[in-house]
Amino acid sequence: MSLVVIQPSADYAARVRRHCPAALFLATPERAALLADHPRVVAADLGDPQAARRALDRYAGARQLRYRGLTCFICEYLPLAAALAPLLGVPFHSPAAIGLSRDKGRAALAWMRAGVSTPPTCLVHSEEELREFAAQHPGPWILKPTDRSGSEWVLKVEQPGELGAAHHRLEQGLEGAPYLAQGFVRGREFSADFYLEEGRARLLRLTEKYLLPQESLAGLVGAYFPARVPAALREKLLDTYQRGALALGVERGIVMVDSILNRGTPYLLEMALRPGGDCLPDLCLHTTGYDPIRAACQVALGQPPDFPDLSQPASLAALHLMTTRSGLIRAVDFSALEAHPAVVQVEPYHLPGEELRCWEGSYDDRILAACLVRCQGEEQLPPLIEELNDLIALELEADPLPVER
């Protein structure tokens, strides 16, 4: 009996194998080549569910393997997972729930209809529609794509006079696709994983975000850290998350959610039908013992996940160390960073030969490394991020060559 995992990274494949040694990895030919060190890798056209199924059946049939479950950690491949699951005879989120969660405009509308708090939202096709929305809802405003992950092309507009330029930047960046305008909600921003079954949600992770101040951009996460909130507030957040997931048609599984707490009211920003990724798995493992990869495997195999104690997390934070420069990396050295007494571990995101890009399309392109650090409070984060960033020795191709002495 095998668990099928769609398009994992090499790192995630290794983590899955710790819990499910017999897992099958279904991947594009390009990704399959990067998984060459792992057994049971099946290369297929992931744009065609039937072709993917045939490739799996050929591999599994030759080895007399049976499918037991299916999981996926990448948003872009969740629709494939939903289409493939019934072909394999295993459970997964429904295509309708996946489609609704992937469309941020439709998700916001579903929440509003269900009475779940979310920022005022409008689908924008033209500058005129944007200005009409802005006239009805006081600024600032958030402009973002309907279907992308993270903070890709998420703009913050402070003044009415900036709306036209922001519209044209998004129109160009999204190649004319409609986008969402939302009213800006101020408050503490939380990210969470929870497990839903039979209409009841239980928290797996509750982390808070430290957002970097950046003119015209929104959602640049400088750090994640465990949320220390009273039990009553945890229950209030969880109730909102549960109602939000039910409004999207989720029946069972792990859901990731981003929300903002404003004057005691949680506002839903988005949901994804997978656990949180990025630097969150290592942060959770070190602070509460929650392992998102293990939990996803358990749920896929029909088991409930292990529920951690969130009341006394360890005093750690996961930082994004970002550059303000663009270019091809000639050399990068993390040794001084790794030697800092506050640092627990460093995960490089970009290495020599790769490109760094500071732009509005994706802030991931400017992250040099994720860094797990000892941290006693949020107030320590701004100076610590600056200090640790300065310890990374970075040379770009555009930099002048060092003078030889």
Side-chain angles (χ1 to χ4, degrees), residues 13 20 31 67 73 98 123 158 208 217 224 307 343 388:
C20 301
R31 177 60 60 86
Y67 309 119
F73 299 97
I98 292 287
L123 183 64
E158 298 281 356
E208 197 163 349
L217 295 182
Y224 295 96
F307 293 99
V343 171
L388 296 182

Side-chain angles (χ1 to χ4, degrees), residues 206 225-228 234 286-288 309-316:
L206 185 62
F225 55 95
R228 290 174 171 82
R234 279 204 305 272
H286 283 80
T287 55
T288 66
D309 180 1
L310 302 180
S311 63
Q312 297 293 328
S315 297
L316 300 173

Side-chain angles (χ1 to χ4, degrees), residues 99-119:
L100 198 51
S101 68
R102 293 279 294 146
D103 188 322
K104 297 174 185 179
R106 291 174 59 214
L109 181 59
W111 292 330
M112 287 186 283
R113 286 173 174 167
V116 184
S117 297
T118 191

Side-chain angles (χ1 to χ4, degrees), residues 56-85:
L56 276 172
D57 285 350
R58 283 194 297 270
Y59 185 95
R63 293 160 181 81
Q64 296 184 326
L65 300 176
R66 294 174 59 196
Y67 309 119
R68 186 177 167 194
L70 173 71
T71 193
C72 178
F73 299 97
I74 301 177
C75 283
E76 289 75 11
Y77 289 96
L78 289 173
L80 169 65
L84 192 57

Side-chain angles (χ1 to χ4, degrees), residues 7-27:
Q7 193 74 345
S9 64
D11 173 56
Y12 268 51
R15 295 181 187 226
V16 167
R17 286 179 59 205
R18 292 173 201 160
H19 311 298
C20 301
L24 287 176
F25 301 119
L26 177 66

